[in-house]
Amino acid sequence: MISFKREHWAAIGANIKWYLSGFKGHPPVSIGHNPLASLFYLPLFVVLGVQVLTGITLAGLEYDIFPGTIIKSLWGLGGVDAVGDAAEEVHEFGFYFILFFFFCHMGGLIVHEIGERNGLLSSMIHGKKYFPRGSVEKE
């Protein structure tokens, strides 16, 4: 189960406030990934898992291998059509969700690159993220 600390929720609130203000003022500083983004990764991982399951099911039905053989033996051809149609619809929805997530992710990258001006894109390449002076506390 995912549990967030009070600081994490405060960082999520600060990000939402910055977005709703039209990116005015100073953006909240996050050393790692944007805390608000963490809320969106859970649905992505669920959809990716469902993509695997529906993909295996569709392949099994198409090529008469596991798990398609079990479905055919339990429900017959009528069940195969129903399960295949349902799995295909869910798999297609997952594909569109992944595309949506990708474009939102790229949009977020552009917004943060322009709004924060800390070289987020280049930090993904060379691994060094730059912060304004005094924005990060030393431990």
Side-chain angles (χ1 to χ4, degrees), residues 31 133-139:
I31 296 194
R133 286 193 189 275
S135 65
V136 179
E137 298 175 11
K138 292 183 179 180
E139 293 183 13

Side-chain angles (χ1 to χ4, degrees), residues 5-115:
K5 295 180 182 177
R6 181 172 284 139
E7 297 86 21
H8 193 84
W9 285 112
I12 289 171
N15 275 285
I16 291 172
K17 184 178 176 184
W18 184 64
Y19 294 142
L20 294 177
S21 73
F23 311 108
K24 293 182 178 149
H26 296 288
V29 176
S30 56
I31 296 194
H33 223 274
N34 183 322
L36 184 59
S38 63
L39 293 178
F40 294 100
Y41 278 101
L42 183 60
L44 174 69
F45 293 144
V46 169
V47 167
L48 289 173
V50 170
Q51 285 293 95
V52 169
L53 294 175
T54 56
I56 289 171
T57 302
L58 289 169
L61 291 173
E62 179 73 24
Y63 299 109
D64 201 24
I65 57 175
F66 178 80
T69 53
I70 293 175
I71 294 170
K72 284 181 182 179
S73 66
L74 291 177
W75 292 308
L77 292 178
V80 168
D81 290 340
V83 170
D85 290 344
E88 192 173 340
E89 290 297 321
V90 171
H91 200 74
E92 188 176 330
F93 171 80
F95 170 74
Y96 289 121
F97 179 84
I98 292 168
L99 282 179
F100 170 76
F101 186 87
F102 171 77
F103 286 112
C104 287
H105 207 89
M106 293 301 107
L109 173 64
I110 292 167
V111 164
H112 280 277
E113 185 72 25
I114 293 170

